[in-house]
Structure formats: structure tokens, C-alpha cells
Amino acid sequence: MSAPVASSALDLHLPSDRFYWAVLDAAPLKRRSPEQLGYLFEQVLPVPIEEIHAAYIRIDRNTYLACGMDRAKLAALIAAREADDVLLALGPESLPELDEDSSIDPHSSGANAGSINLLTGDFEPKAVRTSRRRWLLQTAATIALLATLLVLGLERRIGRLNSQIADLQQAQRGVYEQVLGAQAVRAGGSGGPLPPSLQLAAELRRLRQTRQSVLSPDSAGTGGPQLVDCTQTLASLLAIWPSEHAGQSELFMQTDSVVITPTSVSVRGFVPSTADAERLVGVLTVAQLSKQRPAQSGGGHWVSQQPQINAGGGGNSSVQVNLQWRRNEVNKGATP
Amino acid sequence: MTSRMWMMLGMVIAVAALTVAVGARRLASMSARLESAQAVYIAAERDAREVLELRSHQQVIQLRQRPTQDVIAQVNAVLADAGVPASRFKSLTPESESAVSPAAGNTSDKADVKQQSLRLALENLSLAELGGFVNRWSLAQQTWTVTRLELAHVRSPSSSNYDVTFVLTALYLADS
């Protein structure tokens, strides 16, 4: 048996003949665990696998190189070094020369003797174990700290958003109070008939229905039906009535009746003479009344109808005059 | 021991991840709530602005049919305002009612609309008094429109006054 060679104070490399070696075909194995590989290794060992502590390195996809030592010998080696310093790694100094009939040569497969360390599992050094535990604890603590910081950050943002929502709701309440009144909002908020949002919607609906004309002309101006204000037509008629102020000599007419509807104007009266009647008819032409288009006319033009002049219609040789205008192209709709 | 330590580390990671995920989900939910609150506030503000603007307009359609007594009171008020003696008020009688088919209409609610008509008779009015009454009537309200006007000269030949008959028509919401 060759003497051990220590490459450093913490590593111990022994000659390869101090170990058990085998090249294992792991193709039949479903799981390549050390336990399963140990069963394969046992087939070439002179002792039961339980007495051996082994390490396995992968050569290729289905092939492993096994390296083992008696547990008792391994423990003795470790105990011998513990008095001086701590062993961190124990392995072969080189790979063995396998039989000529071996189909696999570990040397050419790239396997490295330095990567074999038998100080694992039960033989793991205490320092390594302690160091790993410390690392795990530190990692867990770091993760916990990071998570806590993240959660704190998230909670702060949530708090800020909550505050913004509260501000918005307060502003919204202010809007409701401005429109509906504080009392209505309080009544609605405390389980009253309607919540403020619905009260506002109802008020808006009521105002849209009653403040905006449902019968106003459409944007093309061709018009929907309208309520035609006849007082505007009367104002137009009076505006074109001949008078001194209009630069015409005054025309006396005893107006008997004036009837104004959305589609017709009818004026009946008496003038002193036929000449006055003709003058009156000439002044009140269709062009003049058409020019005075009323503001709420709903469109359309006034067309003068044939005037009726009846001489001797009234007393004192007065002449009866009937004047009529009809409106064309008035949209049908709300007329009485 | 080692596997137990790794399992504990795994649990710490899982708990941390779960806590962060719950917090993130809460944040997402709160963001969605904020967006919703903003949308509701903007809509409320827009509606409020429209309400205030519409309130500055005169009412043109009534919510419901008006009783004759209300209109009588309105007519008397306008006569007084125009300086026309109340004795000129002869009568106010209901006319027929009918439904109105609206056009494309400005109202988004497309309510059913009816029209209500009343016949108002005033007697012995001068043209100036007639003009004063008509002017103040249109200023005082915009729901009643004069849709027919009849002037009949009073019997006395020396008078230039008229007996005036108005047909007043107003629109109202049929389902109110």
C-alpha cells in the first residue's frame, strides 16, 4: 500500500490503489441516486456496500466512475488528522489504470481525480456542515428581509392609493353637495331614498327632459315639428303695416279681426275707399311679410293669397278688405 | 440534517414569495379601485357641470300636465306686471290634448311628449296692452307658447281695442 500524499493541510490525496474503483453502466437505472449507484457498485465489490463509503463522478450520459473506501479506514484516516488540523477533502491523487478489456477509459473521458471527495455525507467535516448551515440561515434571513422590505413598500403604496381614493370620494361628495345640497346628500348617504349618484342622475335626466326642447329642428335645419309662436307673426305683421313712420302716408283701416295660426294669417277690415284698399294690398305684399321671418317660425315662406275687396261691404261707403297669407313648407307637428 | 435545512430554506422562500404575491395582488386591486374612483369622479363632475348649465336655462317642457288654476294665477301675475287691469281677463278653458311625435330631438332620454292646450280670452285690450302682455308672458315663462291668436275688434266703433283669444300650448312628459 502506497503512502498517503497530502496536497495541502486541508486536503488529503491518497494513491489510487487505496480505493475501490468501478465503471458503472447506469443506463438501466431510472434514478441515478447514490443509493442506486451503490447497488451497481456492490456487484463488483468484495464487501457489502454498507461497509463502503463511495463517491461517484459522471463520465458520460450513462456511465459513472465509482470510487470507494472502507468506512472504518476512512474514519481512521480522518481521526488521525483531526488532532493536527481539519480535513476538508479526501480523495485519490490520480485515476487508476483499468483493465485492458474495459470499454471505457476514465482518462480519456475527461474525469478528474481532483473532483473526487469522499468527505461527504456522514464523513462531511463539521466545519463544512457548520458553514453550510450558516449559509442557509443567512440566505433565509436575507430572503425574509427582502420580502419584508418588499411587503412594506407595497403596503406603503397601498396606503397612498387608499388615501387618494378617499380624497376622490371626498371631492365627489363635494360635487354632489354643490349640486344637490348638503341635506339631500346626507339623507341619501344614510340609507335615504336614493344615493347621491342616483339623485344626480335623476336631476340631470329631469333637466334634460325639461330644459332642452325635444322638438327643436335637427342640425340640417330641415326641422322637426315645433310649437310655432304666433305672437312673433303678429309682431311681423305690425312691423310691415303701413304708417307715417315707415315713410308712407297713413292708411286708415278699421281692422275687424286678425286671426293668426302657425300656417295662416287672416286680416279682415274696412278701408274708406277702393283706392285705399288697392294701396293697402299693394303695400302688404307677400315679399314684405316673407322678409319678416319670425324667430320661431319653424321655417317656410308666407305666400299671399288672392285678396278680397268688397266695395260697399261696410257702412259709409267703406270697402271691406280680406287679406290672407299661407305658409308653405311648415313642418307638421305640434299645432292645435 | 442538510435536507431538512434545505427544506426549511424552501419554506422560507415559499412564504416570502406568497407574502409578496399577496401584497402585489392587493396593490393591483387598489390600483383598479383608484382607476374606478377616478372614472366615477370625472363622470360625476361632468354631470354636475351639465346640471348647473341646464339650470341656467328656462324650462321649456313641463314634467306633468298643469292644472288650469296654475295658469290662471300665471296670467293674472303677467296682467298685473303689464299694467293691464285684471278685469280684462275673461276666461281660461281647456282645449284638447294630443301626443306629439318628437324629431331627432336634443333629449337623450327620448321621453314621450304630449301637448296641452288652453284657450285664454282677454277683452277690450289696446294694441299696446296686448303687446305688453305678450312681451311679459314670454319673459315670465317659456313653457306656454301662443299657437293661435285671434283679435276681434270690440263692438264700439269709437274704440280701437280688441277682444283677444290666445290658444296657449305647452309640452309635458307623458309618463311623468
Side-chain angles (χ1 to χ4, degrees), chain A residues 133 136 155 164 172 179 203 205 208-212 216 228 230 255-258 260-262 334, chain B residues 5 26 34 38 40 50 54-55 57 60-61 106-107 109 115 146-151 153 162 173:
Chain A
R133 186 184 300 126
L136 284 171
E155 287 297 320
Q164 286 180 25
Q172 192 176 327
V179 174
E203 174 72 358
R205 183 168 177 267
R208 278 178 178 165
Q209 288 174 341
T210 59
R211 253 56 169 188
Q212 295 174 1
S216 56
V228 180
C230 294
T255 309
D256 198 28
S257 69
V258 176
I260 300 175
T261 71
Chain B
M5 299 275 320
R26 281 187 61 213
L34 176 63
Q38 281 171 338
V40 168
E50 191 176 350
L54 286 174
R55 279 179 180 170
H57 296 171
V60 294
I61 299 174
N106 289 339
T107 173
D109 300 278
Q115 68 178 29
V146 177
T147 53
R148 186 183 173 92
L149 185 57
E150 296 175 10
L151 282 72
H153 200 274
Y162 295 86
L173 299 176

Side-chain angles (χ1 to χ4, degrees), chain A residues 33 37 46 115 146 160 254 256 269 315:
Chain A
S33 64
L37 292 170
S115 65
L146 285 174
R160 214 164 26 237
Q254 182 173 329
D256 198 28

Side-chain angles (χ1 to χ4, degrees), chain A residues 120-143:
Chain A
T120 60
D122 295 338
F123 296 95
E124 188 175 51
K126 190 177 173 187
V128 171
R129 202 178 303 138
T130 304
S131 171
R132 183 184 298 113
R133 186 184 300 126
R134 190 182 306 128
W135 178 85
L136 284 171
L137 285 173
Q138 285 174 349
T139 304
T142 304
I143 291 171

Side-chain angles (χ1 to χ4, degrees), chain A residues 166-200:
Chain A
D167 289 343
L168 273 174
Q169 287 172 345
Q170 186 63 27
Q172 192 176 327
R173 190 181 171 86
V175 167
Y176 290 144
E177 284 180 1
Q178 183 191 9
V179 174
L180 304 171
Q183 198 172 0
V185 172
R186 264 198 302 273
S190 59
L194 280 178
S197 58
L198 291 183
Q199 288 184 48
L200 179 63

